[in-house]
Each structure stands twice: as structure tokens, then as C-alpha cells.
Amino acid sequence: MLCKRCVMPESKPDIYLNEQGLCNICSAFESQNNNRKDDTVFHETELVKILNKHRGKHKYDCLVMISGGKDSTSSLYYIVKKYKLNPLAMTFDHGFENEEAIYNIKNAVDSLKVDWIFFKTDFMKEMFAEIIRTKSKAVICHLCSIWYMQFTYETARRYDIPIIIAGWTKGQSNIPDIISKGKCDIDAPEYQSMAKATKKFLKEHVRKMPKYKDFPMSMEEVIKRAAKKHKATVLSPHWFLKTPVEEYTRLIQEELGWRFPKESYPEKSTNCLLNFLSVLLSLKHYGYTHYHVEMSKMINLNMMTRDEALDLLEKNWDDKMIDDVLTRLGLSRKDIEDG
Amino acid sequence: MYILGISCYYHDSAATLVKDGKIIAAAQEERFNREKHSNVFPISAINYCLSKEGIIINDIDQIVFYERPFLKFHRVLKNLIGSFPRSFSAFMDLVPRYLGERLVLPSKIKNTLDYDGKVLYIPHHISHAASAFFTSGFEKANILTVDGIGEYASMMIGYGEKNRIKGDKILPYPGSVGLLYSAITTYLGFKANGGEGKVMALADFGEPVYLDFLEKIMDLKEDGSFTCFEKYFDFSSGNRMFRNSLEKEIGPSRRPDQKIERHHKDVAASLQAFTEKSVISIINNMIKKNGVKKLAVAGGVFLNCVLNRKILEDTEVEQIHIFPAAGDAGGSSGCALFAYYHLFGGEERYTIKTAALGPKYLKNSIVNLAINRNLIIKELSEEELIKDCAESISLGKICGWFQGNMEFGPRALGNRSILANPAADDIKEKLNRDVKHREWFRPYGVSVLDEKGSEIFEDYVTNSFMIMTDTVKKEKRKSIPGALHVNHSVRYQSVSSDDGKYYRLIKKFYEITNIPMVINTSFNVQEQIVCSPEDAFDTFMNSNIERLYIEDFVVLKQEGDTK
Ligand SMILES: [Fe+2]
Ligand SMILES: [Zn+2]
């Protein structure tokens, strides 16, 4: 059973529908909406204030995490062209990055003339394989984000950079939380079971792997550790801009020669190859993915319609992609099958 | 070069972005925060202005602030050039120094916008004057600014030529048209600062039997100046701005719940006549002095459409330009324009062509919203949409019309409008009672095809911002009962092919009905005019507006709703 308004399937205990057929994400929005007016809107002038506070005081004004997708590429574009800051761009590749994404990044950093760090490692590979081997329900993307956020903070400290810029949309993370606490909202009700499984996996398996003895046990730990050593504000320009996705996509296509990847999930996004496996497993374990949650929020923010979201979330990629990824992890299809 | 003008902490907060001497974005804060006549710091309007150009505050060359009258301006001026009233033609020469001494950085602007440049303060009436003259396109003109709402500094007489304006004379308290209008508004049982328009409408139903009396007690002089004596008025109160002695002379005041009697209509008519007489005398005097017959005006009083018509009829004025946001919101435009010409040496002049300076909304945001709210929405080609809307209006349906950029100023001019058929007998009652919930006596304006105007009206002049009335020709009166006011006049807006879709809509309506006009009233039900599609849907769903034409879509209240 799907929520009447958004794309969330009923998936107890985290996602449940009320009598009107609305899921808990939608009904939370509804009650919130009644007392939301202009004073709680995040104005672009607020963003500019934060940026100006740090402008010109360090070698780099900000560290931009760029994945080659439309959201992060446009963030980099705005940072350079509109806000006229001097950023350091940074990309992580855990070995599964998509060639087309890297092409987009190269193009962007070249035409915007910004310094760029490209960090490629196989460090995470064994952890990913371990999830499958142990039949854990931990979400690959959660582990990955813990790892790359830690790395981002370390890089910001290494270069003494005061602001970290991400390309998150309004549906991806909760604004006040990020600004005040610098964290993703994996604590939100809709992520409870996923977060629990990830935590359990970290505790029971990752801890025991000598290679990962220093690996943070949660996003909170990442932030706590980082805060001790260096202060950095994390934000996304998209939280403050009213520009619709079609418009900034067109902008980077025209200005930076940006291109959509041939195959992606959700459609019209740009993600790594591992993402296909993460999605497949999420759907299997929970019936939904973090993309469903993101789009549910965007529907509630009137940034897209339900039909559009359902279209984008339709699973129509080639299963060969999954086989490729599994092979590279030293696994095969039977490792992800039940029994 | 970008100049940002701000009006706030008084009435009607607003922001205007001027680029190289032209207004390219302007909006009132009330439209965003949905608080009528909001006077808070216009943060949403400022953010809109910046986003329209894709710029940030760092790109602004100058922020200019429109000062509230009296409190600051008069105090400074008093120190500067002595006591009032007196001529201060030397004033403009003093301005650079005046500004130089007051390069203050108000903490609000610094804190809210993180702007560390200098903020200039432009006097209230100079801002009004600049908004009028610098958008008029007139090579030279007399300038008159008269505040509409209970303000002390009532008016300024000035003159503009090429890229310069000057203020010649200020008529301050105690002779203020705005103050007098507000006082009588409270006498008639309406609220000051909002009820003035109702008094204006009521005036058409009465006879100015108290005109002589008003002239006498206010000592109206040949030059148009007068005094609101404290014997009759009490300006310390906002609810009852008159004294018992006034009631003794012209009869008891009206309680808000009391029926409107002949007497009340006559008082309103007398006030209107008095206002006209004062303003007309002032203008005649200006022309007598310098022979200049072009006039640029601003200030809330010039939202009085009957007065504006009288100026054309009873003075030698040949051409009048009225800034569409004549009230205090428009001060944000005026102060920015003044800075452009006077401080940055701008030379090239322009004529304002449109008041559609506010935000517009993309198709996607409308579709998403409509679908998420389960509204019945259909996309149409422009031709279909216009045909559908024109037919609906012709059948007596009341239609919401939401297209393009929102208007700046108090009038809806075909971008955030409610449209109806002026040929329908009962349309005015239907609008007043079922949709707008207004008093029975309040008339509606029309939007008329510019090329047909002179066939309909007795003394037609093009009037793009709906700031004038005219008398309908005798033979045409029968055909538009829904729009006709009691004295056979109608407030109208001229619509030409420059107005695009709206023009084509009225043209289509004309093809169907042979009537080249539609009733046009602002898209709101008592609240402030709608700004976003969200506001439009809210108002549409909670009112008796029957159809909504929003950008390329028609929205119906129920499936299968046919004409
Ligand atoms: Fe004013
Ligand atoms: Zn839902």
C-alpha cells in the first residue's frame, strides 16, 4: 500500500499510513505546514551572510563536495559564479564512481578554474562486501556517508577551510539540523530501522575488522570528532534557493557542458555504481530507499508531483550492473539471494 | 549599477531594485508575509528583488532608505534651514551635504543583509517626487506629492527637469489633505488607514453641501493651503480624529455599525470636493508661476481616481503622470531613482511601461501544487485558455486571472485580478456579496481596450495604471450596468497590445459580447492581493470565485463544471 500523497509504501514500524491513507512523513508535514509562513523560510540573504562571514579569510573560502550530479555541480557553479568564492572542490571515489560523473566534474572544475582533490581508494570495499556476506540489513549508502563525511571534515581541517558545501536538496536533509549540528537526519523516524541495522553492523562486524578499528560508529561520532579539531559549517545552497531543478540543470548544461548519465537510479540523478546494489537491498529489506524519503519530502514541498516521483523511482536498470558490482566485490548473485 | 531602495517601519514596506536608472523589480512585503500593510523590514521583498536579477547583496552598489516624514525629515530640515513653513528652493543644493553628514549604517540593514556599504536616507517627499518624475519620461514637469494617509507633512510642490528634481515648498501640518481625509474617515465610522477608499466611493452618492463650511473652518486659501484647526480635530487619537465641536457644526458622527444615511454621503462628498478644490488650486498656482503644463504626481492622495480626473478637467494640466505605486510602498522606488540621478549622475530617462514588477511563478510549481492539493487542473493552449475564460466571463462567471509578474502598488492590472462581465445587471451585487464581501456602495473598475476607449468614454485618455475615472457616454451606459457608478462614471484601466495575453483576452471577450471591457478587481477576498500560486489556490478554494485561470491552466472547482 502506497501513501496517497507521496511515494512511501507502508513499511512498519517506520512508515505507517493513517486513516486518510497518508504516511507519517506526509502527516508530519501537514501539521508543520499549518504554522509555517514566511518567517521560517530560509532566505538567500541568510546564506550570503554565512558565506560573507568567512569570505577571503583563508586560502580557500569553502570545501565543495562534488559528485558530478546536477545538485552538487550546480552548487559549485553558484559558489564560484554567483557568490564569487574561492572553493576547493573535492571528490571521493570508493572505486565504484561512474565515468560519466567524473567527466562532469572534470568539466566543471576546468571551466570554473577551481582547485580539485580527487581521492580514490579501495578502503571501503571489504566493508561493503561484509554487509552482503553477513546478510546485514545495514544500508551501504549510510556507511559510505559516514566515511566520506569524516573524510570531508578531515580535509577541511587539513586546509583550514571554514565552510563545507554540499549539494543536498531540500528533500535530502533537514536545514536547521544541518546548520546547527552539521548532521544528516538519519535519526528521523523514517530511518530508524535502517539506522539501527547500520549501527548493529558497525558494532558486530566492522569493529572486529582490524582495518576499520578507527571507523566512526555513527554520524554523530563523525561530527563529535570533527568538532574537537576544527570548526566548519556544513550547508547546501539549494536549501536557500528557490530555483527549480529544471532551471539549474539547464544552467549547468549550458554553462558547464554538464550531461545526464545514461543509466541511473533514481532516473535523472547521478550516482555511483554501488548505488544500484544499495537500492536493490534497501528495497528488499525495507520496501523503500532514502530516495523515496527525499522525494516524499519534495512532493510535500511542492517541488515535484507524485507521478513524477513514481516515474523517477521506477526500477528499470539492467541487472548486469548488479552482477558487475558484485563481481568487483568478490561476490556473486547467490550471495544476495535468500537462503 | 544596482541600487536597492527600501521602504519600511511606516506604512506598506517594500523594496525596489533599480538597474541603470530603471526599475526592474519591486514588491510590497505584505504580499509575502500575508500581513496587510505590513511595515516590517521587507526581507522577502528584498530577496525577491535580488533573485529576479540573480544577484546577491554584495552586488548592490547602493542601498537607499525612504524616510518616514516629519519625525526625521522635519527635524533635520528645521535644524538646517529654520522654521516652517518656508520656501526651500536651496534645499537641493544642500542635499549632498545633508547626505554626507548622515552616512549612517543602520544596524538592521547591516545585520539582516550583511551589507557593509553606506546607506543613504532620502526624505519622504523627495522620494515620492522622484518616483513620479523619473518614471514619467517628461523632459520637464511640475511635481506634486500629497500623502494620502494621516501624515503630518502633507505635501510638497516641486519641479523636475532632465535628470534633476527639486522641492520648492513643503506644506506641513496643520494643513494636511491626508490628515483631514483620515479624520473624516473616522467621523464616518470607518477605520483610518484603510477606510479612506470607502469614503471616496461614498462621496459619489452625496452632495457637497458642507463644502462652504469646510472651507470656512479650515481657512482654505487661494493657493490651496489650509489649516486643520485643533478646535475641530484631534490628531493624537487614531480612532476618533475629530472633536465634539465638529459634530456640533455638521451633525453627529456615524458609529461603525450604524446605517449609512444621506448625511454621511453628503459629508463624504463635501470632503472630496474640498480635497479637489485644494489640490486644484495648488496645481493652478504652480502652472501660473512657470507655465509648465506637464504634471508628475505621487503620494497616496493620487490613488483618488475622481480627483485625478478633475485635475485634467479643471486645470490647465495637459498631461499627468501618476506613479502606479503612489502610496508609501512606491517610496522605495523613488529613493532609489533619486539616488541614481542625483548622486550617481544618471542621465538617460525612461517611462515606466508596466507595474508588473513582482514575482512570477513557473509552470512546474503550479502543477505540483495543484496536483498535490487534488485540484482539477487542465493545461490549455493560449488560444483555448483565452477563449475559455472570455466565454466564462460572458456567461456571468467570476474568474480568477493569475498571469505573469505580480503588480507593484495597490491596483491589480490583469496579473492578479478577478474578472467579471460588466454587462450583467447583478454582477456588482454578486461580487460585493458573494466574493469580495464589501460594502454595497463600492464600485468596480474596468479594463478597457485602449483603441475602444473613446467609443465608450466622454473624455478618454490612455490610463494604463487605473488611476482615473471617466464618464461613460450616454448611449453606452445601458450596456455596462455592472460597472457603472451612480454618477455614470467608471474607474478604468487602458489595456493595449503591449499587455499581451490580457489584451487578447479582452479582445476575445469583445468579439463574443461586443463589449470592449471586463470588470477588473484585485485578486483577494479582504486579505492582501494574492502573490503566489499557493495564495491564489487558497483564495480560489475558499471563495465563490468560479474559475481560476493561472498561467497556462484552468482550475475548476468540481469535475465536469461546464459553462
Ligand atoms: Fe507618503
Ligand atoms: Zn506520504
Side-chain angles (χ1 to χ4, degrees):
Chain A
M1 262 257 277
L2 283 195
C3 169
K4 262 185 162 164
R5 176 175 304 161
C6 76
V7 291
M8 298 305 293
E10 182 147 53
S11 169
K12 281 172 179 159
D14 294 354
I15 307 293
Y16 46 90
L17 307 183
N18 65 14
E19 298 98 74
Q20 287 103 49
L22 293 190
C23 74
N24 44 319
I25 300 178
C26 289
S27 46
F29 253 96
E30 208 153 72
S31 53
Q32 201 185 90
N33 234 327
N34 291 332
N35 42 28
R36 187 179 28 201
K37 265 297 162 197
D38 223 55
D39 51 337
T40 54
V41 167
F42 283 80
H43 287 299
E44 194 183 357
T45 42
E46 290 299 315
L47 168 64
V48 172
K49 255 159 73 174
I50 300 169
L51 300 179
N52 281 350
K53 195 170 147 202
H54 302 286
R55 178 188 295 278
K57 291 184 183 148
H58 301 80
K59 177 160 194 300
Y60 296 109
D61 296 315
C62 56
L63 179 64
V64 180
M65 298 191 264
I66 179 165
S67 70
K70 58 193 183 314
D71 305 324
S72 66
T73 307
S74 59
S75 286
L76 182 66
Y77 179 87
Y78 286 133
I79 284 297
V80 175
K81 289 291 182 187
K82 188 173 194 192
Y83 306 121
K84 305 201 171 58
L85 293 170
N86 175 30
L88 172 63
M90 173 168 203
T91 306
F92 308 93
D93 183 354
H94 43 28
F96 296 89
E97 238 359 295
N98 166 331
E99 279 308 315
E100 296 158 294
I102 295 167
Y103 163 89
N104 278 334
I105 302 169
K106 271 190 176 155
N107 234 349
V109 295
D110 278 349
S111 49
L112 293 170
K113 297 189 178 61
V114 297
D115 292 1
W116 175 43
I117 294 178
F118 183 78
F119 183 79
K120 182 171 172 168
T121 176
D122 274 344
F123 177 73
M124 292 293 286
K125 212 163 139 182
E126 284 164 52
M127 196 189 297
F128 296 145
E130 187 73 1
I131 295 181
I132 312 231
R133 249 184 251 119
T134 61
K135 306 265 183 229
S136 164
K137 290 182 178 179
V139 179
I140 293 177
C141 293
H142 281 183
L143 292 166
C144 182
S145 67
I146 288 176
W147 167 72
Y148 75 68
M149 276 317 289
Q150 151 146 305
F151 210 87
T152 305
Y153 278 115
E154 273 173 16
T155 310
R157 177 167 64 96
R158 161 97 172 63
Y159 292 94
D160 191 23
I161 302 174
I163 305 174
I164 295 168
I165 303 280
W168 299 318
T169 63
K170 288 187 182 103
Q172 247 165 321
S173 38
N174 193 313
I175 302 170
D177 264 13
I178 297 280
I179 288 186
S180 58
K181 296 176 234 146
K183 67 172 189 191
C184 299
D185 54 356
I186 51 169
D187 286 347
E190 58 271 20
Y191 290 130
Q192 283 299 310
S193 300
M194 291 183 178
K196 227 194 223 154
T198 304
K199 224 167 216 158
K200 185 163 178 265
F201 173 73
L202 281 165
K203 215 159 120 196
E204 291 176 3
H205 301 283
V206 177
R207 259 289 138 85
K208 292 179 184 137
M209 302 165 86
K211 181 178 174 183
Y212 301 122
K213 68 177 183 346
D214 260 351
F215 198 86
M217 287 292 108
S218 64
M219 189 60 91
E220 285 83 68
E221 197 181 327
V222 171
I223 290 150
K224 238 186 245 159
R225 280 192 200 177
K228 279 187 195 148
K229 297 173 185 159
H230 175 71
K231 230 180 128 184
T233 309
V234 183
L235 52 84
S236 165
H238 296 293
W239 296 337
F240 302 85
L241 294 170
K242 295 198 173 98
T243 321
V245 55
E246 298 80 15
E247 200 149 303
Y248 63 72
T249 305
R250 192 179 42 82
L251 184 76
I252 54 172
Q253 282 172 325
E254 282 167 15
E255 301 287 318
L256 303 177
W258 185 89
R259 299 201 298 232
F260 274 111
K262 277 191 221 77
E263 208 158 7
S264 73
Y265 184 88
E267 233 177 282
K268 293 189 182 170
S269 69
T270 310
N271 286 297
C272 72
L273 301 173
L274 209 54
N275 178 63
F276 293 106
L277 183 59
S278 181
V279 165
L280 188 81
L281 295 174
S282 266
L283 288 173
K284 181 175 149 193
H285 297 320
Y286 304 101
Y288 64 96
T289 69
H290 52 284
Y291 300 114
H292 290 71
V293 174
E294 178 185 3
M295 289 190 192
S296 165
K297 291 180 181 172
M298 290 174 78
I299 290 168
N300 278 289
L301 291 165
N302 298 311
M303 293 166 75
M304 56 167 47
T305 66
R306 187 172 185 267
D307 287 348
E308 262 168 17
L310 287 171
D311 252 15
L312 296 177
L313 290 168
E314 206 173 303
K315 199 174 128 264
N316 51 6
W317 71 75
D318 196 340
D319 270 350
K320 207 182 137 300
M321 315 270 285
I322 301 284
D323 293 331
D324 283 354
V325 173
L326 286 169
T327 311
R328 282 165 69 180
L329 288 172
L331 302 163
S332 71
R333 201 145 255 276
K334 68 175 189 339
D335 291 304
I336 59 167
E337 269 146 28
D338 292 313
Chain B
M1 129 163 267
Y2 289 110
I3 303 174
L4 180 67
I6 298 175
S7 163
C8 67
Y9 303 144
Y10 196 43
H11 313 117
D12 295 327
S13 289
T16 297
L17 183 64
V18 164
K19 181 186 186 182
D20 302 328
K22 289 190 180 73
I23 301 172
I24 53 168
Q28 289 125 281
E29 187 69 7
E30 64 161 25
R31 306 291 168 84
F32 300 100
N33 69 10
R34 311 306 294 157
E35 199 181 287
K36 214 166 189 174
H37 299 302
S38 179
N39 69 354
V40 300
F41 189 77
I43 185 66
S44 301
I46 291 170
N47 270 283
Y48 153 67
C49 285
L50 297 173
S51 70
K52 170 101 183 268
E53 267 296 279
I55 59 171
I56 63 173
I57 198 75
N58 307 35
D59 300 316
I60 294 291
D61 296 285
Q62 183 67 58
I63 290 186
V64 192
F65 192 77
Y66 159 68
E67 250 184 357
R68 52 186 296 181
F70 191 70
L71 287 181
K72 291 220 176 76
F73 178 40
H74 281 200
R75 198 177 58 223
V76 171
L77 268 184
K78 263 183 182 162
N79 295 340
L80 221 57
I81 55 173
S83 61
F84 278 100
R86 64 181 277 179
S87 154
F88 61 110
S89 48
F91 176 68
M92 283 298 93
D93 301 326
L94 290 168
V95 158
R97 193 154 60 85
Y98 163 79
L99 294 168
E101 283 165 3
R102 300 194 59 231
L103 296 178
V104 231
L105 190 68
S107 58
K108 183 73 184 177
I109 290 179
K110 189 176 170 47
N111 295 339
T112 317
L113 298 178
D114 195 30
Y115 169 81
D116 51 15
K118 289 159 183 162
V119 177
L120 301 177
Y121 287 79
I122 307 297
H124 191 90
H125 280 278
I126 295 291
S127 301
H128 275 317
S131 74
F133 182 71
F134 290 128
T135 59
S136 70
F138 294 157
E139 161 92 5
K140 50 184 168 180
N142 283 317
I143 304 171
L144 179 59
T145 68
V146 186
D147 271 320
I149 303 168
E151 290 171 1
Y152 291 96
S154 77
M155 60 176 81
M156 188 184 82
I157 289 164
Y159 176 74
E161 192 168 330
K162 289 184 181 137
N163 62 349
R164 284 282 177 273
I165 59 168
K166 59 178 187 160
D168 285 331
K169 196 177 183 187
I170 268 207
L171 300 179
Y173 177 78
S176 159
V177 173
L179 214 48
L180 176 65
Y181 227 101
S182 295
I184 301 286
T185 296
T186 65
Y187 170 89
L188 289 172
F190 304 109
K191 277 206 181 84
N193 192 3
E196 286 83 352
K198 299 179 186 176
V199 175
M200 204 199 306
L202 204 56
D204 289 339
F205 291 87
E207 292 299 326
V209 294
Y210 299 107
L211 176 60
D212 291 345
F213 174 75
L214 288 178
E215 281 183 38
K216 197 180 92 214
I217 69 163
M218 274 175 295
D219 191 20
L220 181 65
K221 300 241 169 58
E222 193 66 27
D223 66 357
S225 67
F226 61 91
T227 307
C228 298
F229 288 108
E230 303 224 5
K231 185 181 167 201
Y232 298 105
F233 299 101
D234 175 12
F235 298 124
S236 60
S237 143
N239 299 324
R240 191 185 153 93
M241 300 169 69
F242 56 93
R243 294 187 194 281
N244 294 342
S245 49
L246 184 75
E247 289 185 290
K248 232 176 258 160
E249 300 283 356
I250 60 172
S253 60
R254 174 182 167 266
R255 285 192 318 274
D257 55 348
Q258 224 175 319
K259 200 170 166 276
I260 292 168
E261 312 273 0
R262 160 107 237 161
H263 166 68
H264 305 126
K265 299 172 189 168
D266 290 344
V267 170
S270 308
L271 171 67
Q272 176 71 24
F274 180 87
T275 304
E276 287 165 9
K277 196 158 179 181
S278 166
V279 171
I280 281 166
S281 306
I282 292 166
I283 293 169
N284 279 335
N285 267 300
M286 292 167 88
I287 297 176
K288 212 191 286 169
K289 268 190 195 144
N290 64 7
V292 175
K293 289 181 179 170
K294 282 187 178 160
L295 181 68
V297 299
V301 157
F302 295 104
L303 294 169
N304 187 322
C305 299
V306 179
L307 169 69
N308 296 337
R309 166 57 60 181
K310 281 274 156 58
I311 291 172
L312 272 193
E313 278 173 7
D314 296 354
T315 68
E316 283 184 72
V317 166
E318 278 167 0
Q319 239 186 315
I320 182 169
H321 171 72
I322 302 168
F323 185 60
D328 280 329
S332 64
S333 315
C335 63
L337 288 169
F338 180 82
Y340 177 73
Y341 289 104
H342 278 254
L343 296 154
F344 296 102
E347 284 182 356
E348 206 184 315
R349 297 279 314 282
Y350 91 112
T351 312
I352 190 167
K353 289 273 189 271
T354 175
L357 297 161
K360 82 169 184 212
Y361 294 84
L362 296 172
K363 206 164 136 177
N364 256 352
S365 65
I366 295 166
V367 181
N368 296 346
L369 197 66
I371 291 176
N372 290 344
R373 288 195 176 193
N374 297 317
L375 296 175
I376 308 153
I377 182 165
K378 269 188 247 166
E379 184 165 8
L380 302 175
S381 69
E382 189 192 291
E383 206 186 329
E384 291 165 337
L385 181 104
I386 283 175
K387 184 163 172 278
D388 198 85
C389 183
E391 281 172 1
S392 297
I393 299 170
S394 76
L395 292 169
K397 299 239 182 223
I398 291 172
C399 298
W401 180 255
F402 181 112
Q403 302 288 338
N405 298 84
M406 180 178 72
E407 303 88 343
F408 183 43
R411 299 272 151 77
L413 300 168
N415 299 45
R416 302 287 185 277
S417 290
I418 294 171
L419 308 178
N421 184 355
D425 279 319
D426 58 344
I427 202 80
K428 193 174 130 184
E429 286 68 39
K430 190 173 169 188
L431 274 169
N432 271 339
R433 194 190 54 228
D434 299 345
V435 180
K436 303 279 282 192
H437 308 301
R438 306 204 310 195
E439 295 82 358
W440 58 269
F441 56 84
R442 300 190 51 196
Y444 289 95
V446 298
S447 298
V448 63
L449 295 177
D450 194 29
E451 68 268 22
K452 295 283 168 192
S454 40
E455 288 176 21
I456 304 287
F457 294 105
E458 281 181 358
D459 302 289
Y460 182 79
V461 288
T462 296
N463 165 28
S464 313
F465 301 129
M466 202 190 268
I467 31 85
M468 214 174 280
T469 60
D470 198 359
T471 307
V472 176
K473 285 183 175 170
K474 211 166 181 179
E475 68 272 21
K476 297 286 179 189
R477 285 174 195 167
K478 261 210 183 115
S479 66
I480 50 166
L484 213 57
H485 205 23
V486 44
N487 56 3
H488 310 303
S489 72
V490 174
R491 178 157 55 100
Y492 69 96
Q493 168 201 5
S494 310
V495 179
S496 71
S497 55
D498 292 343
D499 294 297
K501 209 171 184 178
Y502 192 43
Y503 172 81
R504 294 189 285 278
L505 170 74
I506 303 172
K507 193 137 179 150
K508 188 78 195 171
F509 181 77
Y510 173 60
E511 276 170 35
I512 298 171
T513 62
N514 210 27
I515 293 164
M517 66 175 85
V518 293
I519 288 180
N520 168 13
T521 182
S522 51
F523 196 152
N524 62 333
V525 177
Q526 307 221 303
E527 83 281 28
Q528 52 292 86
I529 301 176
V530 302
C531 176
S532 65
E534 203 169 355
D535 305 333
F537 288 142
D538 279 345
T539 300
F540 174 63
M541 291 313 288
N542 296 317
S543 71
N544 290 316
I545 300 170
E546 288 157 284
R547 287 170 163 240
L548 170 59
Y549 295 87
I550 178 164
E551 300 298 345
D552 300 334
F553 304 94
V554 56
V555 188
L556 310 177
K557 279 214 166 129
Q558 64 240 104
E559 191 76 74
D561 171 22
T562 47
K563 280 171 229 153

